[in-house]
Amino acid sequence: FPLREWQAWACRSVGLPCPVSSALATTRQRCSCGRAVYDLAGHHAVACPSHSGCFEGVHGDILAVWQELGVAAGYKGVVKPGALPRPAVGASDRHADIKFPLSSSAGLAVVGDVTLTHPFRGKGADSSTWGSYVADRVRACEGAKNRLYRQFHHDQGFLFVPLVGTTHGRLGTDSLVLCWIFAHQAVLALFASRGWSPATSGRSFTSSF
């Protein structure tokens, strides 16, 4: 875990200025968007669309983690599955990010799309609002993903999960449910390898998504 990323996470979590962003803020450096000076906590650097490219590497890291979780549960996730159909132009022309085939025979699969969001305000003309917490940010992102992708992929015979997380490490409800199912499946595989009988079958993919 890179030191600078850990510093940013830890400082934001307790409300302290980030070392990297502090250096930019104290010298009154302006963002590349040309509309704002960097703030001490670094909220603008995370929230401004001018820095959206910074999330590309993190996006790939998040997908790699989901792949690892799927493999541990016995489901090999396929990143950027080009064979998946796309939602209609006008809604989105993007493929979903990852596909977990659940059955080689039935064709059932869980399809997920990743979103990383910052739960604090960091853009807008009134910089005095920067750093204020947006309580429903994760829920709003999940809702947006579901409106865009869920019904479309259900019509294609897939289950859809909005894989939403924040820059502070909080996961959305559906992501937590998927983690729980993966963990339960991994435990079931362990029990089976030792000849043990599980106390419960747990939640299913179809009943959850």
Side-chain angles (χ1 to χ4, degrees), residues 20-39:
V20 175
S21 55
S22 294
L24 297 173
T26 53
T27 55
R28 303 289 296 171
Q29 292 195 40
R30 301 188 68 84
C31 173
S32 57
C33 70
R35 296 187 298 272
V37 174
Y38 288 110
D39 59 299

Side-chain angles (χ1 to χ4, degrees), residues 91 139-152 160:
R139 190 179 302 111
C141 288
E142 284 188 318
K145 286 290 184 185
N146 281 326
R147 287 190 295 274
L148 184 61
Y149 285 107
R150 182 180 291 276
Q151 190 58 52
F152 174 81
F160 177 73

Side-chain angles (χ1 to χ4, degrees), residues 128-139:
S128 66
T129 65
W130 296 0
S132 56
Y133 183 65
V134 184
D136 61 348
R137 181 65 58 80
V138 172
R139 190 179 302 111

Side-chain angles (χ1 to χ4, degrees), residues 102-186:
L102 303 183
S103 170
S104 58
S105 56
L108 184 63
V110 169
V111 174
D113 200 69
V114 169
T115 289
L116 180 65
T117 185
H118 188 56
F120 293 87
R121 291 187 175 89
K123 58 182 178 180
D126 185 3
S127 59
S128 66
T129 65
W130 296 0
S132 56
Y133 183 65
V134 184
D136 61 348
R137 181 65 58 80
V138 172
R139 190 179 302 111
C141 288
E142 284 188 318
K145 286 290 184 185
N146 281 326
R147 287 190 295 274
L148 184 61
Y149 285 107
R150 182 180 291 276
Q151 190 58 52
F152 174 81
H153 284 298
H154 278 205
D155 292 344
Q156 307 298 319
F158 301 125
L159 304 173
F160 177 73
V161 186
L163 302 175
V164 178
T166 74
T167 52
H168 287 208
R170 178 190 169 194
L171 293 178
T173 301
D174 285 340
S175 294
L176 289 173
V177 170
L178 184 59
C179 283
W180 190 95
I181 294 176
F182 278 167
H184 191 78
Q185 292 298 320

Side-chain angles (χ1 to χ4, degrees), residues 59-60 62-71 75-82 84 94-101 109-114 153 158-163 178 182:
H59 189 273
I62 293 172
L63 283 173
V65 171
W66 278 112
Q67 275 189 300
E68 292 176 9
L69 291 173
V71 168
Y75 304 102
K76 185 178 180 180
V78 181
V79 173
K80 293 296 181 184
L84 279 177
R94 295 175 50 214
H95 290 301
D97 288 321
I98 191 165
K99 174 183 176 183
F100 296 100
V110 169
V111 174
D113 200 69
V114 169
H153 284 298
F158 301 125
L159 304 173
F160 177 73
V161 186
L163 302 175
L178 184 59
F182 278 167

Side-chain angles (χ1 to χ4, degrees), residues 1-11 19-20:
F1 202 94
L3 176 60
R4 292 174 66 174
E5 292 181 15
W6 183 88
Q7 287 176 334
W9 171 81
C11 290
V20 175

